[in-house]
Amino acid sequence: MATRFLWRTGKKLALVSTAVCVGGAAATVATSDDPETALKLFTAVPLRLAHGSVTAASIAFDYEYALWGLPEGSVEREKVKHEVHLRSARKLQELCFRNGGIYIKLGQHIGQLEYLVPQEYVQTMRESMLNRCPVSSYDQVCQVFKKELGETPDKIFSEFDPAPIASASLAQVHVARTHDGQKVAVKVQHTHMTDTAAADHATVDFVVTTLHWFFPSFDYRWLLDEMSESLPKELNFLVEAKNSEKCLDNFRKLSPHIAEYVYVPMVYWNLSTSKLLTMEFMDGPQVNDVKTIQKLGIQPNEVAKLVSQAFAEMMFKHGFVHCDPHAANLLVRPLPSSKSSILGKKKPQLIILDHGLYKELDFHTRTNYAALWKALIFADANAIKENSVKLGAGEDLYALFAGILTMRPWNRVVDSSVDHLVVQGTDNDRSELQMYASQYFSQISELLRRLPRVILLMLKTNDCLRTVNNSLLQGSSPHTFLIIGKVSSEALIEARLLQQKSLLRWLSVWLDEILLEARLFGMRIALWLLQLRKALC
């Protein structure tokens, strides 16, 4: 009975969704000013929707049928659930590659939500989505150039390599040289993104919403809400160009002490449009290429500290955060103005690429988030609860929120030891975290439903940074947490200074800053002693 019902449900979902889309596409062709493009939509969109609907129905059917009758919490159910997760992740992966465009973007989002979605999905998407993105032909690239700048690339540049050096879900990058000899990177939007972006978003939304209606436990509508807000901005490369300049300007004005160590490629505005972006070409290894970084005379732990500080400054002081800091978007090079030390070591400079996805934190969200991280670093249980509640986690899920942010169980979060938040990156640590995520999956879903979307993007950013740190250090380091504690505390002190009026209150803030430095100094000494003891043992 259940099997027949689910099968009929899958068929109805595919047929109804396709019928809806065919009707909409037919109306588009009839009223469009561009019949050729409209005809492409008419032929492509219903097929893409049908693929999505069938895949969604197949995944839903697999879960319900495979888990039918297995007791909740049993070893057998957990084993079968792992197998279904893996099968379903591969089906979703195949759909993303078949349809491309927004589907690839969705897969990339899932691959960066470590421990927020089942690990099988994260692993499957992470292993493929950044390396197998679609590539537009040179003819398609020329079409974009003609439409945007009126000429083909060979006329606009003295040199233009028709083979892209990188391709992502929304665009690909070509190396070129301007007529005055400057080497540049040219980002060209995939033509199909323009044709099908709106329709693809509607179809993905339809499938996910319908699945949630049939199976309430499947609720990733929050991810679609976020994509619907961020995608139009990411598809406008002029927004990306403005974001890149604002990012660099924020470091110069608000974080001048590390501005020299953070770099953003210069934009060539006269050669940029909403679908073309021409930037200074940057040469350097990705942040996870440890061997090349070491060959440059740069220590990986120094890069990890710089990445932690740069993004802590963005989150807690600037309130303007790059939300896609995966390894391909972070390059490293020796600081141009620095000289090698006696040991031949050089200071690193972090180059930040791809500025399409940013989030702004308002004053209260930024200060509450900074206060929460300060509390996490200093293991202050009362402050963790207070600020988690302020950010929307509620009094019942604040401990889970702290666990997701730190990837540590609650007893470790509130441990007073200096290295209480350190994750070693071992198989045992990963197994513990995956078990923790699986055990509280329903509560995690409820927490994600409650949290503001901007905080969900901060979770994604944290996961990206955690992955970067793991590649540099094979785990995390107490030194990076001390940096986060220092920057978050400084941000709170600066916020209080803005609100203080009297000299007496200003002195109170000044004393708080002295106490902070003393506390951090004590933690550094404790950390040094801990490391010395480990070395002696």
Side-chain angles (χ1 to χ4, degrees):
M1 178 77 70
T3 301
R4 287 199 301 273
F5 168 73
L6 287 165
W7 181 247
R8 287 198 302 269
T9 297
K11 288 176 67 179
K12 286 179 182 177
L13 176 58
L15 291 171
V16 170
S17 58
T18 304
V20 168
C21 202
V22 167
T28 301
V29 173
T31 59
S32 176
D33 294 330
D34 186 357
E36 184 180 350
T37 299
L39 185 59
K40 287 182 185 177
L41 289 174
F42 178 76
T43 55
V45 171
L47 187 61
R48 294 158 74 84
L49 177 58
H51 290 155
S53 301
V54 170
T55 299
S58 171
I59 289 173
F61 173 81
D62 198 1
Y63 275 102
E64 290 295 318
Y65 183 75
L67 299 175
W68 187 271
L70 296 178
E72 193 71 45
S74 66
V75 174
E76 185 182 0
R77 182 182 177 90
E78 291 306 309
K79 179 183 176 182
V80 172
K81 187 189 291 185
H82 165 72
E83 293 169 353
V84 178
H85 281 335
L86 200 55
R87 284 198 300 270
S88 300
R90 287 168 180 164
K91 290 174 186 175
L92 185 58
Q93 177 194 52
E94 182 182 349
L95 173 68
C96 290
F97 285 132
R98 175 183 287 180
N99 280 0
I102 290 177
Y103 291 85
I104 294 280
K105 197 71 179 174
L106 179 66
Q108 289 177 343
H109 272 294
I110 292 172
Q112 293 167 345
L113 294 172
E114 194 165 15
Y115 311 116
L116 299 183
V117 297
Q119 187 65 17
E120 293 83 355
Y121 286 85
V122 172
Q123 200 67 31
T124 300
M125 298 302 170
R126 183 175 290 174
E127 288 172 353
S128 59
M129 287 295 155
L130 293 176
N131 302 320
R132 290 176 53 191
C133 290
V135 176
S136 295
S137 68
Y138 183 62
D139 286 342
Q140 291 173 317
V141 169
C142 288
Q143 289 175 23
V144 176
F145 266 88
K146 286 179 182 177
K147 188 173 181 180
E148 297 298 308
L149 296 177
E151 294 285 357
T152 54
D154 58 302
K155 300 287 180 61
I156 294 172
F157 298 100
S158 63
E159 297 176 21
F160 186 89
D161 190 343
I165 58 167
S167 183
S169 57
L170 306 184
Q172 61 192 45
V173 179
H174 294 259
V175 178
R177 197 171 292 277
T178 62
H179 287 291
D180 61 358
Q182 298 299 312
K183 191 176 182 180
V184 294
V186 186
K187 186 174 180 178
V188 185
Q189 192 171 119
H190 295 309
T191 54
H192 67 266
M193 289 306 306
T194 306
D195 295 339
T196 64
D200 277 352
H201 184 272
T203 59
V204 173
D205 191 297
F206 176 81
V207 170
V208 173
T209 302
T210 305
L211 275 173
H212 173 67
W213 186 65
F214 283 115
F215 309 104
S217 61
F218 182 93
D219 191 4
Y220 287 99
R221 292 173 297 172
W222 57 269
L223 185 55
L224 292 176
D225 289 342
E226 176 49 45
M227 286 181 64
S228 66
E229 180 180 314
S230 63
L231 196 62
K233 297 175 183 176
E234 289 187 82
L235 287 171
N236 186 344
F237 292 169
L238 294 178
V239 172
E240 179 178 344
K242 291 175 184 176
N243 287 344
S244 69
E245 292 194 341
K246 183 175 180 179
C247 171
L248 195 59
D249 192 51
N250 281 343
F251 276 102
R252 289 169 177 165
K253 291 179 179 177
L254 304 175
S255 305
H257 53 292
I258 68 161
E260 181 184 11
Y261 298 91
V262 178
Y263 191 77
V264 172
M266 180 183 70
V267 174
Y268 288 74
W269 286 96
N270 61 320
L271 297 173
S272 298
T273 72
S274 63
K275 294 178 177 58
L276 284 172
L277 181 59
T278 304
M279 304 159 286
E280 176 185 5
F281 182 85
M282 305 307 305
D283 195 13
Q286 292 184 9
V287 73
N288 61 348
D289 187 353
V290 176
K291 289 184 179 179
T292 305
I293 289 172
Q294 290 173 325
K295 286 179 182 177
L296 293 173
I298 298 171
Q299 295 176 297
N301 66 311
E302 292 299 316
V303 177
K305 290 178 185 178
L306 177 56
V307 170
S308 296
Q309 181 157 14
F311 280 85
E313 299 276 339
M314 285 190 208
M315 286 187 279
F316 307 136
K317 293 185 179 181
H318 306 175
F320 187 66
V321 187
H322 186 300
C323 290
D324 201 16
H326 59 75
N329 289 337
L330 302 175
L331 305 182
V332 181
R333 69 178 180 184
L335 183 68
S337 62
S338 72
K339 297 179 180 179
S340 297
S341 67
I342 297 174
L343 298 176
K345 301 300 181 183
K346 297 178 182 177
K347 294 181 180 179
Q349 185 180 62
L350 181 67
I351 302 168
I352 306 177
L353 308 177
D354 195 351
H355 298 265
L357 183 58
Y358 271 77
K359 277 295 175 183
E360 292 197 54
L361 303 177
D362 62 58
F363 179 81
H364 292 292
T365 302
R366 177 170 62 83
T367 51
N368 289 336
Y369 193 57
L372 173 57
W373 267 106
K374 177 186 176 184
L376 289 168
I377 302 301
F378 295 120
D380 185 339
N382 291 330
I384 291 171
K385 180 178 180 179
E386 177 187 348
N387 290 288
S388 294
V389 170
K390 286 180 180 179
L391 289 168
E395 298 206 1
D396 55 335
L397 294 179
Y398 71 89
L400 181 62
F401 186 33
I404 288 174
L405 281 169
T406 61
M407 290 297 109
R408 297 276 75 190
W410 178 252
N411 65 319
R412 290 290 294 163
V413 170
V414 294
D415 192 310
S416 59
S417 60
V418 70
D419 61 344
H420 68 293
L421 296 182
V422 173
V423 178
Q424 297 298 337
T426 63
D427 289 338
N428 286 339
D429 264 344
R430 280 190 288 271
S431 297
E432 179 187 0
L433 293 173
Q434 288 165 17
M435 181 180 67
Y436 185 73
S438 177
Q439 183 180 354
Y440 295 102
F441 184 72
S442 59
Q443 292 94 326
I444 289 173
S445 296
E446 171 60 20
L447 177 64
L448 299 180
R449 186 190 65 79
R450 292 182 189 179
L451 293 173
R453 284 209 303 270
V454 68
I455 297 300
L456 295 178
L457 261 290
M458 293 304 101
L459 293 179
K460 176 198 168 187
T461 303
N462 284 338
D463 281 339
C464 288
L465 295 173
R466 188 178 294 113
T467 302
V468 166
N469 264 327
N470 187 57
S471 65
L472 288 164
L473 305 171
Q474 298 305 305
S476 55
S477 162
H479 294 288
T480 59
F481 286 115
L482 287 181
I483 290 169
I484 293 170
K486 179 177 175 62
V487 177
S488 59
S489 300
E490 288 174 349
L492 292 171
I493 289 170
E494 290 173 8
R496 286 183 61 192
L497 280 173
L498 290 174
Q499 297 175 314
Q500 303 306 327
K501 302 297 181 184
S502 67
L503 178 62
L504 186 62
R505 289 184 177 179
W506 185 87
L507 287 172
S508 171
V509 174
W510 181 65
L511 287 173
D512 283 346
E513 189 166 3
I514 293 175
L515 288 172
L516 168 65
E517 290 298 332
R519 192 173 186 181
L520 289 170
F521 179 75
M523 290 180 74
R524 291 189 188 99
I525 294 295
L527 179 58
W528 181 79
L529 291 173
L530 179 65
Q531 291 173 328
L532 179 61
R533 187 180 70 181
K534 287 180 179 179
L536 293 174
C537 292

